[in-house]
Structure formats: structure tokens, C-alpha cells
């Protein structure tokens, strides 16, 4: 796996390099946003982008906007940022970032987030059946099985579950989910999305004993996490 890292702080860049190389990843480092954009404009293959938000000139937010406009959603993007205000983080997610890790860098958290995102299926055939823990997802037949037993879901519940199962570890904002499933914005005052999420959590038994948990933060969004990918000392939003 080849990861591109955008970081202008020398010490921080070295720490990122050592952390990822020790975990078995290949890494290409960039100290300027324009250098990374030049590399992305060529037929260079990166499996994930790790972007410092605060950069002189072309910053991390500029890069993610360019990537989503020109390369689509095929490359996962993670922000490394000092920002911890919900408004800033929501902006990053709405612009197309898949996740974020706040500084100071915690190596185990960073690796857990990257590993979860890189496990996302890259299969060209989106109808290919696949497994996620004890769950078997069969898009051809619109069916999800838990321990071999089919789970009855309403159509929109199934679409929402399929979106999450195809993207374990990815943090979805409410707006992104709304447009993916309902093709429109769901007002914050509406309980439609919350009800559907509650239903699939209950019907699919998305809990740690089944290897998964559905993490929700009203401000930031929702994430289906593979429990075994995450260090036990992480804290989670309610």
C-alpha cells in the first residue's frame, strides 16, 4: 500500500514516515501541496492520502477539493489537523475527506484509522458478494446474512446498511448519507435518518460481540467500525 503524506513540519513528517514504514506501508512524502497535486495529475498510484490541513499556499483542504473534483472518491483521504472545532471538521468531511486524526499524533489511532479505510473494497464489480466480520452481503439478491441467517430489512434500510458495509471505517456526514440514500438533503429536524440508523443497528445487531459497532456523532456523522481493527484505549463519540 502506497500512502502519500502532505506535511511541511520536518519533525512531524519524519514521525509519520517512521510510523507508517514500521507498519509495513510504503510512503511518499510531500512538503508542499502543489507538489502533491502535480504527482496526482500523473498516472501515479496512491492508495490513500494523509493530508495536513494547515499548509502554506495549497493546503490540505485545497488538495481534497481537487481530488474529489478530478479523481472522484476512489482514493481515501484522511486529515491530520490541529483543528478540533466541530464546524471545521464538518467542513473537511463535507468537502470530501473520509476521516480525520487530530494532533498531537497518536500512532496507534492513526494506524487503526488508516487500516480500516484501506480495507474498503476496491472491487470494480459493485455487485460482487463480500463478507464483513460475521456478515455476508449479497448485492445481487439485496440480502444481508448474519451467521448464515438472512436479516429482513426495508429497502432504504438495506441501501443504508450496504453503504456502511462497503465503507467500514469511513466517517459519513449526515448530508453525504442523505444524498447517497435519498438523493436529497434530510433536514436536521427530521428523524428519518436517525430512525433508519437505529433500525439497522437493532436488526443487524451491530455490536462488539459481532465484531462491529456503529458510532454516531450528531455533529460529525456516522461510522461503521470493525472492532478488531481498533486499539482498546481509543475513546468514541456517543
Amino acid at each position: 500500500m502506497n500512502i502519500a503524506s502532505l506535511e511541511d513540519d520536518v519533525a512531524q513528517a519524519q514521525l509519520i514516515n517512521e510510523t507508517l514504514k514500521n507498519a509495513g506501508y510504503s510512503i511518499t512524502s510531500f512538503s508542499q501541496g502543489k507538489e502533491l497535486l502535480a504527482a496526482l495529475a500523473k498516472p501515479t498510484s496512491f492508495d490513500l492520502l494523509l493530508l495536513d490541513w494547515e499548509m502554506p499556499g495549497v493546503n490540505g483542504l485545497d488538495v481534497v477539493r481537487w481530488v474529489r473534483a478530478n479523481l472522484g472518491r476512489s482514493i481515501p483521504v484522511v486529515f491530520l489537523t490541529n483543528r478540533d472545532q466541530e464546524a471545521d471538521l464538518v467542513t473537511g468531511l463535507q468537502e470530501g475527506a473520509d476521516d480525520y486524526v487530530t494532533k498531537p499524533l497518536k500512532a496507534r489511532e492513526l494506524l487503526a484509522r488508516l487500516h480500516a479505510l484501506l480495507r474498503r473494497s476496491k472491487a470494480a464489480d459493485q455487485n460482487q458478494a463480500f463478507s464483513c466480520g460475521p456478515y455476508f452481503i449479497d448485492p445481487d439478491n439485496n440480502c444481508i446474512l448474519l451467521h448464515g441467517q438472512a436479516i429482513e430489512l426495508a429497502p432504504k434500510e438495506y441501501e443504508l446498511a450496504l453503504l456502511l458495509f462497503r465503507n467500514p471505517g469511513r466517517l459519513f456526514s449526515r448530508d453525504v448519507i442523505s444524498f447517497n440514500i435519498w438523493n436529497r438533503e434530510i433536514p436536521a429536524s427530521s428523524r428519518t435518518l436517525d430512525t433508519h440508523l437505529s433500525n439497522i443497528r437493532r436488526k443487524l445487531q451491530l455490536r462488539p460481540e459481532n465484531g462491529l459497532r456503529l458510532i454516531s456523532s450528531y455533529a460529525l456523522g456516522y461510522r461503521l467500525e470493525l472492532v478488531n481493527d481498533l486499539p482498546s484505549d481509543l475513546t468514541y463519540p456517543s
Side-chain angles (χ1 to χ4, degrees), residues 141-153:
N141 295 302
N142 295 336
C143 181
I144 299 177
L145 288 75
L146 172 59
H147 300 300
Q149 297 295 316
I151 306 298
E152 185 175 347
L153 298 171

Side-chain angles (χ1 to χ4, degrees), residues 4 8 14 18 22 29 37 62-63 67 72 77 89 97 111 134 139 149-150 167 171 183-184 188 202 209 238:
D8 64 332
Q14 184 176 356
E18 292 176 354
N22 288 339
S29 297
L37 289 181
D62 295 327
V63 172
V67 168
V77 176
L89 299 175
L111 292 175
Q149 297 295 316
N167 298 276
L171 185 60
N183 200 33
R184 60 184 175 85
R202 173 178 53 83
E209 52 264 42
S238 59

Side-chain angles (χ1 to χ4, degrees), residues 136-235:
F136 180 77
I137 299 91
D138 182 2
D140 266 342
N141 295 302
N142 295 336
C143 181
I144 299 177
L145 288 75
L146 172 59
H147 300 300
Q149 297 295 316
I151 306 298
E152 185 175 347
L153 298 171
K156 289 301 182 184
E157 292 171 355
Y158 170 78
E159 291 180 33
L160 179 54
L162 183 62
L163 177 68
L164 295 170
F165 276 120
R166 278 179 170 159
N167 298 276
R170 177 179 167 188
L171 185 60
F172 285 99
S173 69
R174 292 178 65 90
D175 287 347
V176 168
I177 292 177
S178 299
F179 280 104
N180 269 276
I181 305 303
W182 286 275
N183 200 33
R184 60 184 175 85
E185 183 178 354
I186 301 294
S189 59
S190 171
R191 297 293 298 171
T192 298
L193 176 55
D194 305 274
T195 299
H196 280 72
L197 286 164
S198 177
N199 287 345
I200 67 170
R201 180 189 277 116
R202 173 178 53 83
K203 292 181 179 181
L204 293 171
Q205 302 176 51
L206 298 174
R207 51 193 187 221
E209 52 264 42
N210 286 325
L212 294 167
R213 69 179 115 205
L214 181 58
I215 303 300
S216 62
S217 167
Y218 186 81
L220 297 178
Y222 308 87
R223 185 206 319 269
L224 183 66
E225 293 192 330
L226 302 171
V227 175
N228 291 337
D229 281 347
L230 301 171
S232 59
D233 57 353
L234 289 186
T235 57

